[in-house]
Amino acid sequence: MKALPNHYYTRRAEFLEERERIFSSMWVCIGFASDAPNAGDVQPLEFMELPLLMVRDSDNTLRVFHNVCRHRGHVLVSERGTVKQSLRCPYHSWTYTLEGKLARTPNIGGVGINDVEGFNRQEFGLVQVDSVEWHDLVFINLSGNAPAFEDFIAPLEQRWKPFWGAEGASLLRLAEAHSSIRLEVQANWKLAVENYLEAYHLPTVHPALNQISPLAEHEIHFDEDFAGQLSHCYTLGAGGGRHLPVFPSWPEALYEEAHYPALFPNTLLGLQADHLFVMVIIPLAHDRTLEETRLYCVGDEAVSEDFGDLRQAQHGFWTDVFAEDIGVVTGMQAGRASPGFDGGVLTPVMETATAQFHQWVAQRVGENLGGN
Ligand code: FES
Ligand SMILES: [Fe+2]
């Protein structure tokens, strides 16, 4: 199948069009609720050139706002941290509550006069973005018009229920000191997703992963808003005997099954019997992407000291695998500057999930790739 032409990777105009036509209209993951666990925690982030802000309000509800002061548009919060009760703009000290209400406008009516006739503070609260916490993941809908989040996530939940069971997600625990992997990649966001969707590169790029989960044991599946791979030979504890605790309801006969779907457009997941990883692809610019990953174990015992070595080994393993992908993703970005290439081809057996993703993007941006 024909693939998306180069300009979808190399031009800012297309990037902004994708923000409008893909990312704004649906639910997209922007990060992790555990980055702002307590009341007053603030976490600014950049997402597709938009300054956003996660705030844990006084009722412990996580809210997402456009991170911009309603006065003259200065970015409100520039560093992660904890505030006592309010958010103060660094320019003229307008102050907002954790719920986004404009609370104070110092000297607005002259020195020492904090009100002025004709100015109604209620009209100048922070602009909130619809958001949902799904376990530790924070999803937003920028347009406010997306269908219900429950409908969006239902196909994935149904697919995983036979494995992690009804209580599966409630057992997830951040793998403490070994829970994060952060990579910045000089490439368009789509290349990271496309690469995740095929195992064709395993033997060349990930020789160690290919040893324990060989290419021949991968199967591709599709759904409307996600696609991915099922591996049939995941090895608990990488064959070393001991392994981390597993989901209690995961059928023993299926310990070797591992799920690697991409929830379109930007959430890459890896569910195994003894852990979950989530990589959120955060597009920063048309040629710059942040990959934020968290690793989760199963149950309280898994995060006890007894399993520290296994958590560390797991973190090391995925750190190496994800780092191995950086070179190929940036290599594909570099190739898209060439007049000797314009999208290339997606092969008919190994890259069907990547092809599905190209079609999914193409339909939303009005590009015709000419079918299969
Ligand atoms: S821009 Fe924020 S107080 Fe003036
Ligand atoms: Fe890879």
Side-chain angles (χ1 to χ4, degrees), residues 192 195-199 201-202 205-206 209 321-322 324-326 328-329:
N195 175 59
Y196 191 74
L197 287 170
E198 49 98 344
H201 67 281
L202 249 61
V205 177
H206 307 296
L209 177 60
V321 169
F322 298 150
E324 285 165 355
D325 282 314
I326 300 299
V328 292
V329 171

Side-chain angles (χ1 to χ4, degrees), residues 69 71-74 89 91-94:
C69 177
H71 176 214
R72 299 265 301 285
H74 197 287
C89 177
Y91 198 0
H92 312 91
S93 284
W94 283 22

Side-chain angles (χ1 to χ4, degrees), residues 4 10 18 39 60 84 87 102 124 160 176 250 287 290 297 305 321 347:
L4 285 164
T10 58
E18 288 169 349
N60 269 313
K84 281 211 177 92
L87 306 160
L102 179 57
F124 291 90
W160 281 2
E176 294 306 323
W250 196 293
D287 57 356
L290 186 65
C297 303
E305 254 178 56
V321 169
T347 58

